[in-house]
Amino acid sequence: MRRLPLLALALAPMPAMAGALDQPVAAPVAIAVPQPAAPARRLAFTLRGGVGVSPEYFGAQDYEAGPDFGFAIDRMRFGPFDVGSDDPDFISEGFGIRGAFRFIGERDADDVENVAGLDDIDAALEVGLGLSYDTRAFGVFADLRRGFGGHESFVAEIGADAYLRPTEALTLRAGPRALFAEDDYAQTYFGTPGFQADGGLISVGAEVGAIYAFNDTWGLDGAITYEQLQDDAADSPISLDDDQYTARIGLTRKVDFRF
């Protein structure tokens, strides 16, 4: 979590109250202390690193553990282009633009049960942008990503979250998700020599997550996701289980460059 921070301080000296009470006391004079101008360019982002558990491949019954990484842009200012806020307590509200990323691990043909004649699939990185609308109570988003590597297709994900903040450090969220993809994506991950998989709705589900901030720099981020495969993704001989679960937990580190 959708997420961004400068404090301007006005300093006025306190007058010294010394001497007899019948002596006149000079009125305090406010002195404006010049503040250095904010850097013209700034890039702040959050890195996440930890472990995750997910199906061996889309539609698999067996699960495996592995490293989990994440990246989120918190602040970006390059001349007239300005996204986010310098306020460390800022909570994004209204419409916004967000980065959208997803990593899909490689699939070995020998790992797919009961299906012969498949090719190995390389790992894929999906990169794109999304639009979001947030309030303190809820948020909605729509992401569009393009795959590189294992697939070269466009995928779209939409979702919503309700937010709960029991403390200043803890944020809880939960909401529905839906994933759509082109024909090439569906055929890559769900097609077989005897089954042509068409794109469209791939899965629907929900995600529950939590973020705990230890301080302004470090935090803990975890989530559990449930997805149910739909249409050709569910009908594919590759899909032995339409109900798919993933879980992850990791440390977060905020990084801030000003130049």
Side-chain angles (χ1 to χ4, degrees):
M1 306 147 324
R2 248 145 10 7
R3 345 185 181 317
L4 311 166
L6 288 173
L7 292 179
L9 299 180
L11 301 180
M14 295 295 294
M17 303 292 289
L21 293 179
D22 59 350
Q23 292 179 333
V25 177
V29 178
I31 301 176
V33 178
Q35 299 294 322
R41 295 178 294 276
R42 182 178 179 186
L43 176 62
F45 53 88
T46 299
L47 297 174
R48 186 187 75 242
V51 296
V53 177
S54 61
E56 287 185 336
Y57 52 88
F58 297 138
Q61 291 178 316
D62 298 326
Y63 286 72
E64 62 182 5
D68 174 78
F69 301 97
F71 175 87
I73 297 175
D74 301 319
R75 185 77 170 97
M76 185 182 296
R77 182 176 62 220
F78 292 92
F81 184 74
D82 197 348
V83 175
S85 171
D86 291 328
D87 182 356
D89 298 319
F90 173 75
I91 296 177
S92 175
E93 294 190 67
F95 289 100
I97 300 175
R98 56 187 239 155
F101 309 90
R102 185 173 70 147
F103 177 79
I104 303 173
E106 64 181 8
R107 188 186 77 184
D108 293 332
D110 294 339
D111 293 338
V112 181
E113 302 177 33
N114 303 324
V115 180
L118 297 177
D119 295 326
D120 294 339
I121 302 175
D122 294 334
L125 177 63
E126 296 176 355
V127 181
L129 292 173
L131 295 176
S132 62
Y133 180 83
D134 283 294
T135 70
R136 293 188 64 88
F138 72 90
V140 295
F141 69 88
D143 294 340
L144 180 64
R145 305 186 296 262
R146 205 269 192 183
F148 297 90
H151 79 88
E152 306 289 331
S153 311
F154 283 96
V155 299
E157 184 175 8
I158 60 175
D161 281 309
Y163 301 132
L164 182 62
R165 297 179 174 86
T167 68
E168 291 185 1
L170 179 63
T171 300
L172 306 176
R173 60 178 178 81
R177 302 286 190 271
L179 180 69
F180 302 84
E182 292 184 301
D183 290 347
D184 181 65
Y185 176 96
Q187 181 62 22
T188 298
Y189 293 105
F190 300 100
T192 71
F195 180 80
Q196 178 68 37
D198 294 328
L201 180 61
I202 302 297
S203 67
V204 296
E207 182 170 291
V208 177
I211 299 175
Y212 184 82
F214 298 121
N215 50 47
D216 291 340
T217 302
W218 292 94
L220 186 67
D221 185 349
I224 299 175
T225 305
Y226 164 73
E227 294 178 291
Q228 185 180 69
L229 299 177
Q230 302 290 309
D231 300 335
D232 281 2
D235 296 336
S236 169
I238 292 175
S239 300
L240 302 180
D241 191 345
D242 295 342
D243 297 319
Q244 306 275 281
Y245 298 88
T246 60
R248 61 169 177 79
I249 188 167
L251 289 173
T252 62
R253 173 70 159 85
K254 292 185 179 294
V255 180
D256 193 342
F257 293 106
R258 307 184 190 196
F259 48 95

